Amino acid sequence: MSQPTIESILQEKRLFNPPAEFSQGARIKSLEDYEAIYQKAAADPEGFWAELAEQELDWFQKWDQVLDWQPPFAKWFVGGKINISHNCLDRHLTTWRRNKAALIWEGEPGDSRTLTYAQLHREVCQMANVIKDLGVTKGDRVAIYMPMIPEAAIAMLACARIGAPHTVVFGGFSSEALKDRLVDAQAKLVITADGGFRKDKVVPLKPAVDAALADNAAPSVENVLVVQRSKENVAMTPGRDHWWHDLQAGASYDCPAEPMDSEDMLFILYTSGTTGKPKGVVHTTGGYNLYTHVTTQWGFDLKDTDVFWCTADVGWITGHSYIVYGPLSNGATSVMYEGVPRPSNPGCFWDVIEKYGVNIFYTAPTAIRAFLKAGEHVPNARDLSSLRLLGTVGEPINPEAWMWYHLVIGGGRCPIIDTWWQTETGGFMITPLPGATPTKPGSATRPFPGILADVVDLEGNPVADNEGGYLVIKHPWPSMMRTVYGDDDRFRRTYWEHIPPQDGKYVYFAGDGARRDEDGYFWVMGRVDDVISVSGHRLGTMEIESALVSHPAVAEAAVVGRKDELKGEEVFAFVTLEGTFSPSDQLKAELKQHVVQEIGAIARPGEIRFADGLPKTRSGKIIRRFLRNLASGEALSGDASTMEDQSVLEKLREGD
Ligand code: PRX
């Protein structure tokens, strides 16, 4: 099975119409309906979003102005007062949904738990009261470093309830990575667990928090709230560390949701970029609530009876938007699963679908490729007939994997929505609407209503059909990131300065290459910057290089992505050593482990190659293009004559 190449994608001609039965029952039933809504929204985006905001959300106070756009800074629903925890919980309690399952949780060692809206509300209120008692007030940042257990969602909603922005740190990140985020966000409280279960092992989370806080490395942190999960023995620092079950026992169920300004910060989520450390992507309250609500409802064609399952971890934006906020704001039943597929349990996803009768299933291409490899007999041995809609996210899906998903998992009857979006966009931006948009395997199809997407050259001119260019968004949307936390300049530089404004209008630069075909369908080709995607996880090459260089043996490091059948890309590192060190397999293993310690297991290099020197231009810039060629064993693309030292390339090849 191969990764999508431009050639294979260009040859892709299959078109799948939404099944008639699906369209009949869908919210948006035909391409004509989609086009009419799209045109209406494009003609008046503010009017379009205002109407939905009025219809779909509860506001404590209505806004005075729909959009205040001072490029590149947007404010949506200015003057409006809202609370997303209220919209996700309280407003459902006065309806029949009060006793509907809000969260169905399947734990890794086989335990499970269902929380109705009323029960979830009670626990969120309790945690909100506990957090307040620990001295957190509106505006204080709270870090959440948790396994995939209900308390992760409860913690997010509790923070939102009292107006304390959360920053969820993926439980697979190392203590070093956690520390960087605690320091950058100046977090006052950390909510964690003793440990979590991942791939047949216990991940020691509390010890990682201890390491992050050692030597007063993150002095803003005053308290640590610990949920008991793995039941391992963990050290508790008196006065700083508190067990959740101890404090919960005395906590009141009553905690009114704080009326938040629509533009108050809801959360910070760190993501990798081209330069420097991961950046804190800032999302605010009202616009994010609206956009995740509407995209969940229309994109997944959500019905009140649906059991919805997004397999992401809450540590990523997908988990924020499509496990917690989008589904709960709609009063849906959202499944949360602690496990991940692994060789010892390749059928675990299908077991969950069968057990709960999942109707809508949303996962990543990397997972689909792994299932494909494990063989059809695994899903075929389970009853997947409850499924009615499938989704993918995170990276381009190769048409073979798309077809397998369609036929083997979807039984040929389920539309697939391939959703293109980013941490920065808050919700999906380019996606089929499943009852309306004919799909082409490998294409995210067309923009969501209200999203003005285009493919342009570096001057900002739209390129011709089927010509490659840069993916941009030409009008602000409600859930766009507002800034990089504490760094407006970086926000401006990263997203708004690569492409000059068009007729005075700023365009958002997504960092992805794309083309649009003659039917207006978008084909996203992947990143155009130094960001690589390993199993759909976004990593900056520079972050990994910094991690390598922090090892005493390493003089210089250059990291590139190499294509990988299952993971999409894997980390390939070229390393030059300090004089006293010499290459060995043991040192390779040590350096890989060092990266795991500095960032986390997702960044572990698949291969490290030692080199005497790295290919550089005369001005000293590393020529990554050549390194990418070398990593994948291809011929060099382009001219090597600008290189400072021609012999370097020969030696690097010999290192094979
Ligand atoms: O390159 C695009 C790819 O993932 C990047 C965003 O990564 P992240 O912020 O971690 O968010 C992932 C989940 C939303 C994008 O710039 N990407 C995401 N979805 C797709 C995709 N590439 C192709 N097709 C997609 N459907």
Side-chain angles (χ1 to χ4, degrees), residues 428-473:
F428 40 72
M429 305 287 281
I430 303 182
T431 179
L433 295 181
T437 318
T439 48
K440 303 183 187 186
S443 169
T445 77
R446 299 179 54 177
F448 198 80
I451 301 303
L452 306 183
D454 206 348
V455 181
V456 301
D457 62 21
L458 270 183
E459 277 74 57
N461 305 308
V463 298
D465 286 353
N466 286 317
E467 250 175 49
Y470 301 94
L471 183 55
V472 295
I473 311 293

Short mmCIF file of all heavy atoms in Angstrom, two decimals, residues 428-473:
data_model
loop_
_atom_site.label_atom_id
_atom_site.label_comp_id
_atom_site.label_asym_id
_atom_site.label_seq_id
_atom_site.Cartn_x
_atom_site.Cartn_y
_atom_site.Cartn_z
N PHE A 428 -13.68 22.04 11.80
CA PHE A 428 -13.30 21.74 10.42
C PHE A 428 -13.78 22.77 9.43
O PHE A 428 -14.82 23.39 9.57
CB PHE A 428 -13.59 20.32 9.98
CG PHE A 428 -14.87 19.68 10.42
CD1 PHE A 428 -16.09 20.08 9.88
CD2 PHE A 428 -14.84 18.65 11.35
CE1 PHE A 428 -17.25 19.47 10.24
CE2 PHE A 428 -16.02 18.03 11.73
CZ PHE A 428 -17.23 18.45 11.18
N MET A 429 -12.94 22.94 8.40
CA MET A 429 -13.07 24.06 7.47
C MET A 429 -13.43 23.59 6.07
O MET A 429 -14.14 24.27 5.35
CB MET A 429 -11.72 24.79 7.37
CG MET A 429 -11.16 25.24 8.69
SD MET A 429 -12.06 26.63 9.33
CE MET A 429 -11.35 27.96 8.36
N ILE A 430 -12.86 22.46 5.67
CA ILE A 430 -13.17 21.91 4.36
C ILE A 430 -13.62 20.48 4.61
O ILE A 430 -12.91 19.70 5.24
CB ILE A 430 -11.94 21.93 3.43
CG1 ILE A 430 -11.41 23.36 3.31
CG2 ILE A 430 -12.29 21.36 2.05
CD1 ILE A 430 -10.22 23.52 2.37
N THR A 431 -14.82 20.18 4.18
CA THR A 431 -15.40 18.86 4.48
C THR A 431 -16.63 18.64 3.61
O THR A 431 -17.34 19.60 3.29
CB THR A 431 -15.82 18.77 5.96
OG1 THR A 431 -16.41 17.49 6.20
CG2 THR A 431 -16.86 19.82 6.33
N PRO A 432 -16.89 17.41 3.27
CA PRO A 432 -18.19 17.15 2.66
C PRO A 432 -19.30 17.34 3.69
O PRO A 432 -19.06 17.15 4.89
CB PRO A 432 -18.12 15.67 2.28
CG PRO A 432 -16.70 15.23 2.48
CD PRO A 432 -16.07 16.19 3.43
N LEU A 433 -20.48 17.70 3.26
CA LEU A 433 -21.67 17.57 4.11
C LEU A 433 -22.29 16.26 3.65
O LEU A 433 -22.60 16.09 2.46
CB LEU A 433 -22.61 18.75 3.93
CG LEU A 433 -22.01 20.08 4.41
CD1 LEU A 433 -22.98 21.23 4.23
CD2 LEU A 433 -21.55 19.99 5.85
N PRO A 434 -22.43 15.30 4.57
CA PRO A 434 -22.59 13.90 4.14
C PRO A 434 -23.85 13.59 3.33
O PRO A 434 -23.84 12.67 2.53
CB PRO A 434 -22.58 13.13 5.46
CG PRO A 434 -22.93 14.12 6.51
CD PRO A 434 -22.39 15.43 6.03
N GLY A 435 -24.91 14.39 3.51
CA GLY A 435 -26.11 14.12 2.72
C GLY A 435 -26.10 14.87 1.40
O GLY A 435 -26.99 14.69 0.56
N ALA A 436 -25.09 15.73 1.23
CA ALA A 436 -25.14 16.66 0.09
C ALA A 436 -23.97 16.52 -0.88
O ALA A 436 -24.17 16.61 -2.10
CB ALA A 436 -25.16 18.09 0.62
N THR A 437 -22.78 16.31 -0.36
CA THR A 437 -21.59 16.45 -1.21
C THR A 437 -21.12 15.10 -1.74
O THR A 437 -20.75 14.22 -0.96
CB THR A 437 -20.42 17.07 -0.39
OG1 THR A 437 -20.94 18.12 0.42
CG2 THR A 437 -19.32 17.56 -1.29
N PRO A 438 -21.10 14.92 -3.07
CA PRO A 438 -20.48 13.71 -3.61
C PRO A 438 -19.00 13.72 -3.21
O PRO A 438 -18.36 14.77 -3.22
CB PRO A 438 -20.64 13.86 -5.12
CG PRO A 438 -21.72 14.87 -5.30
CD PRO A 438 -21.63 15.79 -4.12
N THR A 439 -18.47 12.56 -2.83
CA THR A 439 -17.09 12.54 -2.36
C THR A 439 -16.16 11.92 -3.40
O THR A 439 -16.59 11.11 -4.22
CB THR A 439 -16.98 11.75 -1.04
OG1 THR A 439 -17.68 10.52 -1.19
CG2 THR A 439 -17.58 12.52 0.11
N LYS A 440 -14.90 12.35 -3.31
CA LYS A 440 -13.84 11.77 -4.15
C LYS A 440 -12.78 11.31 -3.18
O LYS A 440 -12.29 12.12 -2.38
CB LYS A 440 -13.25 12.84 -5.06
CG LYS A 440 -14.24 13.54 -5.98
CD LYS A 440 -13.51 14.54 -6.89
CE LYS A 440 -14.50 15.37 -7.69
NZ LYS A 440 -13.85 16.24 -8.67
N PRO A 441 -12.41 10.04 -3.20
CA PRO A 441 -11.43 9.53 -2.23
C PRO A 441 -10.14 10.35 -2.26
O PRO A 441 -9.53 10.50 -3.31
CB PRO A 441 -11.16 8.10 -2.71
CG PRO A 441 -12.37 7.73 -3.48
CD PRO A 441 -12.88 8.99 -4.11
N GLY A 442 -9.76 10.89 -1.10
CA GLY A 442 -8.52 11.66 -1.01
C GLY A 442 -8.75 13.16 -1.02
O GLY A 442 -7.82 13.92 -0.79
N SER A 443 -9.98 13.60 -1.27
CA SER A 443 -10.26 15.04 -1.28
C SER A 443 -11.16 15.39 -0.10
O SER A 443 -12.14 14.70 0.18
CB SER A 443 -10.98 15.44 -2.57
OG SER A 443 -11.48 16.77 -2.46
N ALA A 444 -10.82 16.49 0.57
CA ALA A 444 -11.68 16.98 1.66
C ALA A 444 -12.89 17.73 1.07
O ALA A 444 -13.70 18.28 1.81
CB ALA A 444 -10.88 17.88 2.61
N THR A 445 -12.98 17.76 -0.19
CA THR A 445 -14.06 18.34 -1.01
C THR A 445 -14.17 19.85 -0.88
O THR A 445 -13.25 20.55 -1.28
CB THR A 445 -15.43 17.64 -0.81
OG1 THR A 445 -16.05 18.03 0.39
CG2 THR A 445 -15.32 16.12 -0.91
N ARG A 446 -15.23 20.37 -0.27
CA ARG A 446 -15.49 21.81 -0.39
C ARG A 446 -15.61 22.49 0.96
O ARG A 446 -15.88 21.85 1.96
CB ARG A 446 -16.75 22.00 -1.24
CG ARG A 446 -16.49 21.39 -2.62
CD ARG A 446 -17.65 21.49 -3.54
NE ARG A 446 -18.17 22.83 -3.72
CZ ARG A 446 -19.16 23.11 -4.56
NH1 ARG A 446 -19.70 22.14 -5.29
NH2 ARG A 446 -19.62 24.32 -4.66
N PRO A 447 -15.43 23.81 0.98
CA PRO A 447 -15.43 24.50 2.27
C PRO A 447 -16.79 24.46 2.96
O PRO A 447 -17.83 24.45 2.31
CB PRO A 447 -15.07 25.94 1.92
CG PRO A 447 -14.61 25.93 0.51
CD PRO A 447 -15.16 24.71 -0.15
N PHE A 448 -16.74 24.48 4.27
CA PHE A 448 -17.95 24.58 5.08
C PHE A 448 -18.60 25.94 4.81
O PHE A 448 -17.91 26.92 4.55
CB PHE A 448 -17.56 24.47 6.56
CG PHE A 448 -18.70 24.12 7.46
CD1 PHE A 448 -19.14 22.82 7.56
CD2 PHE A 448 -19.35 25.11 8.19
CE1 PHE A 448 -20.21 22.50 8.39
CE2 PHE A 448 -20.42 24.81 9.01
CZ PHE A 448 -20.86 23.49 9.12
N PRO A 449 -19.93 26.04 4.86
CA PRO A 449 -20.56 27.35 4.66
C PRO A 449 -19.96 28.40 5.60
O PRO A 449 -19.72 28.12 6.77
CB PRO A 449 -22.03 27.08 4.99
CG PRO A 449 -22.22 25.62 4.64
CD PRO A 449 -20.93 24.96 5.01
N GLY A 450 -19.72 29.57 5.08
CA GLY A 450 -19.13 30.64 5.88
C GLY A 450 -17.62 30.68 5.79
O GLY A 450 -16.98 31.61 6.29
N ILE A 451 -17.01 29.66 5.14
CA ILE A 451 -15.55 29.59 5.03
C ILE A 451 -15.14 29.91 3.60
O ILE A 451 -15.50 29.19 2.67
CB ILE A 451 -15.04 28.19 5.44
CG1 ILE A 451 -15.45 27.88 6.88
CG2 ILE A 451 -13.53 28.09 5.25
CD1 ILE A 451 -14.99 28.87 7.92
N LEU A 452 -14.37 30.98 3.43
CA LEU A 452 -13.96 31.38 2.10
C LEU A 452 -12.52 30.90 1.88
O LEU A 452 -11.56 31.59 2.20
CB LEU A 452 -14.07 32.90 1.94
CG LEU A 452 -15.46 33.46 2.30
CD1 LEU A 452 -15.53 34.96 2.04
CD2 LEU A 452 -16.56 32.76 1.51
N ALA A 453 -12.39 29.68 1.36
CA ALA A 453 -11.07 29.08 1.16
C ALA A 453 -10.62 29.29 -0.27
O ALA A 453 -11.45 29.43 -1.18
CB ALA A 453 -11.13 27.59 1.47
N ASP A 454 -9.30 29.34 -0.47
CA ASP A 454 -8.78 29.51 -1.83
C ASP A 454 -7.39 28.88 -1.91
O ASP A 454 -6.78 28.58 -0.87
CB ASP A 454 -8.70 31.01 -2.17
CG ASP A 454 -8.80 31.27 -3.66
OD1 ASP A 454 -8.70 30.31 -4.46
OD2 ASP A 454 -8.95 32.45 -4.04
N VAL A 455 -6.92 28.70 -3.13
CA VAL A 455 -5.55 28.24 -3.34
C VAL A 455 -4.85 29.33 -4.15
O VAL A 455 -5.32 29.69 -5.22
CB VAL A 455 -5.51 26.89 -4.10
CG1 VAL A 455 -4.07 26.44 -4.28
CG2 VAL A 455 -6.32 25.84 -3.36
N VAL A 456 -3.76 29.85 -3.60
CA VAL A 456 -3.12 31.03 -4.21
C VAL A 456 -1.61 30.79 -4.35
O VAL A 456 -1.05 29.88 -3.74
CB VAL A 456 -3.37 32.30 -3.36
CG1 VAL A 456 -4.85 32.58 -3.21
CG2 VAL A 456 -2.70 32.19 -2.00
N ASP A 457 -0.96 31.70 -5.13
CA ASP A 457 0.50 31.66 -5.19
C ASP A 457 1.05 32.59 -4.10
O ASP A 457 0.27 33.19 -3.35
CB ASP A 457 1.00 32.02 -6.59
CG ASP A 457 0.60 33.45 -7.00
OD1 ASP A 457 0.31 34.28 -6.11
OD2 ASP A 457 0.59 33.72 -8.21
N LEU A 458 2.37 32.71 -4.04
CA LEU A 458 2.95 33.49 -2.93
C LEU A 458 2.63 34.98 -2.99
O LEU A 458 2.76 35.69 -2.02
CB LEU A 458 4.46 33.27 -2.86
CG LEU A 458 4.92 32.12 -1.98
CD1 LEU A 458 6.42 32.04 -1.94
CD2 LEU A 458 4.35 32.19 -0.55
N GLU A 459 2.18 35.43 -4.17
CA GLU A 459 1.74 36.84 -4.26
C GLU A 459 0.29 36.99 -3.86
O GLU A 459 -0.24 38.10 -3.79
CB GLU A 459 1.90 37.38 -5.69
CG GLU A 459 3.29 37.87 -6.04
CD GLU A 459 4.23 36.71 -6.25
OE1 GLU A 459 3.93 35.86 -7.12
OE2 GLU A 459 5.24 36.62 -5.52
N GLY A 460 -0.38 35.86 -3.67
CA GLY A 460 -1.78 35.93 -3.27
C GLY A 460 -2.74 35.81 -4.44
O GLY A 460 -3.96 35.91 -4.25
N ASN A 461 -2.23 35.56 -5.65
CA ASN A 461 -3.14 35.41 -6.80
C ASN A 461 -3.67 33.99 -6.84
O ASN A 461 -2.89 33.03 -6.72
CB ASN A 461 -2.39 35.65 -8.12
CG ASN A 461 -1.72 37.00 -8.10
OD1 ASN A 461 -2.36 38.01 -7.81
ND2 ASN A 461 -0.41 37.01 -8.36
N PRO A 462 -4.99 33.84 -7.04
CA PRO A 462 -5.54 32.49 -7.15
C PRO A 462 -4.86 31.75 -8.30
O PRO A 462 -4.59 32.33 -9.35
CB PRO A 462 -7.02 32.73 -7.48
CG PRO A 462 -7.30 34.12 -7.00
CD PRO A 462 -6.02 34.89 -7.13
N VAL A 463 -4.54 30.48 -8.10
CA VAL A 463 -3.92 29.71 -9.17
C VAL A 463 -5.02 29.03 -9.98
O VAL A 463 -6.16 28.91 -9.53
CB VAL A 463 -2.93 28.66 -8.61
CG1 VAL A 463 -1.80 29.32 -7.86
CG2 VAL A 463 -3.64 27.65 -7.71
N ALA A 464 -4.64 28.59 -11.18
CA ALA A 464 -5.63 27.94 -12.05
C ALA A 464 -6.03 26.59 -11.46
O ALA A 464 -5.32 26.03 -10.63
CB ALA A 464 -5.02 27.75 -13.44
N ASP A 465 -7.17 26.09 -11.92
CA ASP A 465 -7.64 24.76 -11.48
C ASP A 465 -6.52 23.74 -11.65
O ASP A 465 -5.81 23.75 -12.65
CB ASP A 465 -8.81 24.28 -12.36
CG ASP A 465 -10.08 25.04 -12.02
OD1 ASP A 465 -10.08 25.81 -11.05
OD2 ASP A 465 -11.07 24.85 -12.77
N ASN A 466 -6.41 22.88 -10.68
CA ASN A 466 -5.47 21.76 -10.72
C ASN A 466 -4.01 22.17 -10.66
O ASN A 466 -3.13 21.33 -10.83
CB ASN A 466 -5.70 20.88 -11.97
CG ASN A 466 -6.96 20.07 -11.78
OD1 ASN A 466 -7.18 19.53 -10.69
ND2 ASN A 466 -7.80 20.03 -12.80
N GLU A 467 -3.76 23.45 -10.38
CA GLU A 467 -2.38 23.85 -10.17
C GLU A 467 -2.12 23.95 -8.68
O GLU A 467 -2.98 24.41 -7.94
CB GLU A 467 -2.13 25.20 -10.83
CG GLU A 467 -1.25 25.08 -12.03
CD GLU A 467 -1.11 26.39 -12.75
OE1 GLU A 467 -0.82 27.40 -12.08
OE2 GLU A 467 -1.31 26.39 -13.97
N GLY A 468 -0.95 23.53 -8.27
CA GLY A 468 -0.66 23.56 -6.84
C GLY A 468 -0.46 24.98 -6.33
O GLY A 468 -0.04 25.88 -7.07
N GLY A 469 -0.76 25.20 -5.08
CA GLY A 469 -0.54 26.50 -4.46
C GLY A 469 -0.69 26.40 -2.96
O GLY A 469 -0.59 25.30 -2.40
N TYR A 470 -0.94 27.53 -2.34
CA TYR A 470 -1.03 27.57 -0.88
C TYR A 470 -2.48 27.74 -0.45
O TYR A 470 -3.21 28.57 -1.02
CB TYR A 470 -0.20 28.75 -0.33
CG TYR A 470 1.24 28.62 -0.72
CD1 TYR A 470 1.73 29.26 -1.86
CD2 TYR A 470 2.11 27.83 0.03
CE1 TYR A 470 3.05 29.11 -2.24
CE2 TYR A 470 3.43 27.68 -0.35
CZ TYR A 470 3.90 28.33 -1.49
OH TYR A 470 5.20 28.17 -1.86
N LEU A 471 -2.85 26.98 0.55
CA LEU A 471 -4.23 27.04 1.04
C LEU A 471 -4.39 28.26 1.95
O LEU A 471 -3.61 28.43 2.90
CB LEU A 471 -4.52 25.74 1.80
CG LEU A 471 -5.92 25.54 2.34
CD1 LEU A 471 -6.96 25.68 1.24
CD2 LEU A 471 -6.02 24.13 2.95
N VAL A 472 -5.37 29.09 1.64
CA VAL A 472 -5.62 30.28 2.47
C VAL A 472 -7.12 30.40 2.77
O VAL A 472 -7.95 29.83 2.07
CB VAL A 472 -5.17 31.59 1.76
CG1 VAL A 472 -3.67 31.60 1.55
CG2 VAL A 472 -5.91 31.81 0.44
N ILE A 473 -7.41 31.17 3.82
CA ILE A 473 -8.80 31.48 4.17
C ILE A 473 -8.93 32.99 4.10
O ILE A 473 -8.14 33.72 4.71
CB ILE A 473 -9.17 30.97 5.58
CG1 ILE A 473 -8.74 29.51 5.79
CG2 ILE A 473 -10.67 31.16 5.85
CD1 ILE A 473 -9.44 28.47 4.96
#
